[in-house]
Amino acid sequence: MCGIFFSLSTNAAEPNPETKALLIQRGPDSCQTHTVSRQIRTHDGVSAPVTLYLTFLSTVLSLRGDHVFKQPLVDSASQSVLCWNGEAWKIDQERVSGNDTELVFDRLLRAGSGTAQQASENLAEVISSISGPFAFVFYDARHGRVFFSRDCLGRRSLLQGVDNDGSLKICSLCDGSSSTRFQEVGFDGVYMIDLDDYQVSVPGSTEPCRIHTLPWTNTSPTSTGHLRNPIPPMNATVPEEQPPALEIETPFVQDLQLRLLDSLALRIEDIPEPPNYIHGQSAKVAVLFSGGLDCTLLARLAHDVIPLDEPIDLLNVAFENPRVAAAAVAAAVKTKHGAAAVASTEPVSAYEACPDRMTGRSAHAELQMTCPGRPWRFIAIDVPYTETIAHRASVKRLMRPHNTEMDLSIACALYFASRGQGTITHPTSVPISYSTTARVLLSGLGADELFAGYGRHGVAFTRGGFPDLISEIQLDVGRLGQRNLGRDDRVLSHWGRETRFPFLDEDFVAWVLQAPVWQKCGFGLSAPRSETNAERLRGIDNEKMALRLVALRLGLSTVAREKKRAIQFGARTAKMEKGRTKGTDALD
């Protein structure tokens, strides 16, 4: 995980101190700045040439290779520069071992040979060959061009904006307090600025230069300079007759388990030891853990990859919500006929009463039962209301330009969960303070979108059958980068940890999207053919049914039957002060 800042201006603009500090939070292992200048001709042919300054700043969280690879990377021969925030898990379908940044830089430099047009076409080939999440800024000094992009799913944050002086800025975070001048870089292609076309802008202008796009395409392009999109269109086939019921040992369910395990292994094998690591005591991997189906499935599969003596930390967050507490007291008073009766009852922890805390403890117990040799560490992260208020401005700063009540509710939960500070309880001891050493976090994000896990998917099927269900899934997958991933990356990375998404591996996503929709969820299927299968599937919801069957295969019977619950309601970050706010309401 890295932090990126780039500016293109006539006065060598650097990030403001607050932004630089936040970038260092993302990448505490290294921080360097590099500035180059380039003279450009004015378009009137009369005025004197103008000097442009290209400022690059990168911070690094080192998670690949045997030492810290400092950025920005600068080629001494050409003076080309790369700021890379990503994980190239594979290049040309070959697994990358060791550090990926230098390998990507070398390929980009070799792509720059030939004419400017050839260089752009070659760069498109290089980017198309990379499998993994990324955001980058690359300066091709030979041809005077700047390229920047997010991957085709938008799994890493990258924002662009223009400041009051007309300087173009590209950054992992909003630079400054204003969210109005920054927007998320799209994930529909690689963007290119030709410095020879740069127009010296008037201060306050929002368009200092033309930005060209090298788009992703799912078809064989008729012209060069396109990127091959690894994510195919969704299989929109509608069954001609009612599909049969899903069963635990169907080939699709078996294959699903193996493919998810492959995706996970790619992300948790060969993780370097974090600072202050003690073998057998410290964790390299932690799971953002609500106790729901998706995260528990990842934890269970991680058990099959990580050496048995290494702990796996389960980060479970719960919030003190004054509105919920007040409503509970009011209900108790009404039921018990008086405040005295309420005072005499046994107090219940606001945190232990959170839905995600209850499912988390239940899932933790099931993991201990199914994988008894593993040190499973349940980290209870309790967040008092006063602490939520104290950090709220920081959370809002990180999630910009997102600015709704729902954004804040989700971001708060992710912010405190990824901090990784809570308590652990041994069977014979009182809770003790604990901070996870893990720098790699696992998230189940993407499972609901791919496998029809939201309530609205059932509504869509009821409304219009398989065609409407397919359309709803297509909508969800297509907007992941816009709605979730950039915001989540900015918030989760704040504590110097990298979140990895096994459900969003390109090969895995492509395979799931190509499968018929009725193999992924239980809507519209026939009844089980045998009484034995019917009994095994009792209580299994239609949403994400294929994943639920994988959980059953792995012995997670209770987890397989857990209901979908949004994080803001499970952790109780939603509607802390007022009960009538809507998730889409803009923040003050």
Side-chain angles (χ1 to χ4, degrees), residues 126-457:
V126 171
I127 300 303
S128 297
S129 72
I130 297 172
S131 176
F134 61 77
F136 73 89
V137 176
F138 173 62
Y139 170 49
D140 176 7
R142 290 191 183 98
H143 304 102
R145 293 182 169 189
V146 175
F147 298 87
F148 60 99
S149 180
R150 300 162 71 193
D151 66 75
C152 64
L153 288 170
R155 289 165 289 184
R156 289 285 183 265
S157 172
L158 198 64
L159 306 170
Q160 67 183 77
V162 179
D163 67 13
N164 291 328
D165 296 326
S167 300
L168 173 68
K169 294 181 177 180
I170 299 171
C171 190
S172 300
L173 306 156
C174 284
D175 183 37
S177 60
S178 173
S179 63
T180 58
R181 290 185 175 273
F182 280 82
Q183 59 184 356
E184 288 187 327
V185 171
F187 47 97
D188 56 343
V190 171
Y191 301 94
M192 185 270 288
I193 300 169
D194 187 341
L195 299 184
D196 289 335
D197 287 341
Y198 188 88
Q199 301 284 341
V200 178
S201 63
V202 177
S205 168
T206 58
E207 296 183 356
C209 54
R210 287 184 59 195
I211 299 178
H212 307 268
T213 305
L214 308 177
W216 295 101
T217 179
N218 286 113
T219 59
S220 298
T222 56
S223 61
T224 54
H226 290 65
L227 299 105
R228 299 186 307 275
N229 193 340
I231 309 301
M234 183 176 172
N235 185 339
T237 303
V238 174
E240 296 180 357
E241 57 186 25
Q242 189 176 26
L246 285 174
E247 297 185 10
I248 294 175
E249 298 304 330
T250 58
F252 179 81
V253 173
Q254 295 172 341
D255 204 7
L256 171 58
Q257 179 178 330
L258 293 175
R259 288 176 181 269
L260 184 56
L261 179 62
D262 287 343
S263 172
L264 179 63
L266 196 62
R267 288 157 172 77
I268 61 175
E269 290 178 341
D270 303 321
I271 296 174
E273 294 180 358
N276 306 314
Y277 180 80
I278 302 174
H279 184 77
Q281 298 182 32
S282 304
K284 294 181 183 178
V285 174
V287 184
L288 298 171
F289 191 75
S290 66
L293 172 67
D294 313 325
C295 60
T296 310
L297 198 51
L298 293 181
R300 170 61 187 83
L301 289 172
H303 170 76
D304 295 337
V305 179
I306 296 174
L308 192 59
D309 60 343
E310 288 188 18
I312 297 177
D313 286 351
L314 308 175
L315 307 179
N316 181 272
V317 66
F319 286 74
E320 178 189 19
N321 186 314
R323 185 185 60 82
V324 172
V329 170
V333 169
K334 183 176 181 180
T335 302
K336 298 294 184 179
H337 307 292
V342 176
S344 66
T345 60
E346 186 71 22
V348 178
S349 164
Y351 310 111
E352 293 301 313
C354 275
D356 279 2
R357 177 58 51 81
M358 292 187 285
T359 56
R361 292 206 181 277
S362 172
H364 175 222
E366 193 161 39
L367 286 170
Q368 289 178 311
M369 182 178 64
T370 56
C371 311
R374 167 75 57 188
W376 296 103
R377 229 167 4 212
F378 187 89
I379 319 303
I381 301 170
D382 298 340
V383 186
Y385 179 63
T386 53
E387 191 169 12
T388 301
I389 297 302
H391 286 260
R392 184 172 284 178
S394 296
V395 177
K396 290 167 70 174
R397 169 68 173 85
L398 290 169
M399 73 184 197
R400 290 184 182 120
H402 286 60
N403 191 46
T404 68
E405 291 285 350
M406 181 181 294
D407 289 318
L408 181 60
S409 297
I410 295 171
C412 273
L414 298 178
Y415 176 88
F416 284 102
S418 62
R419 185 172 66 168
Q421 296 178 5
T423 60
I424 57 175
T425 304
H426 295 293
T428 58
S429 67
V430 297
I432 60 174
S433 297
Y434 177 83
S435 295
T436 185
T437 55
R439 289 179 132 192
V440 171
L441 309 180
L442 295 177
S443 167
L445 185 66
D448 288 309
E449 289 77 9
L450 289 169
F451 292 90
Y454 293 115
R456 63 175 175 272
H457 291 126

Side-chain angles (χ1 to χ4, degrees), residues 150 154 156-157 184 480-481 484-491:
R150 300 162 71 193
R156 289 285 183 265
S157 172
E184 288 187 327
L480 261 172
N484 303 75
L485 291 167
R487 175 201 65 204
D488 295 356
D489 177 79
R490 292 189 289 279
V491 173

Side-chain angles (χ1 to χ4, degrees), residues 66 95 293 443 554:
D66 57 2
R95 183 167 178 170
L293 172 67
S443 167
L554 293 169

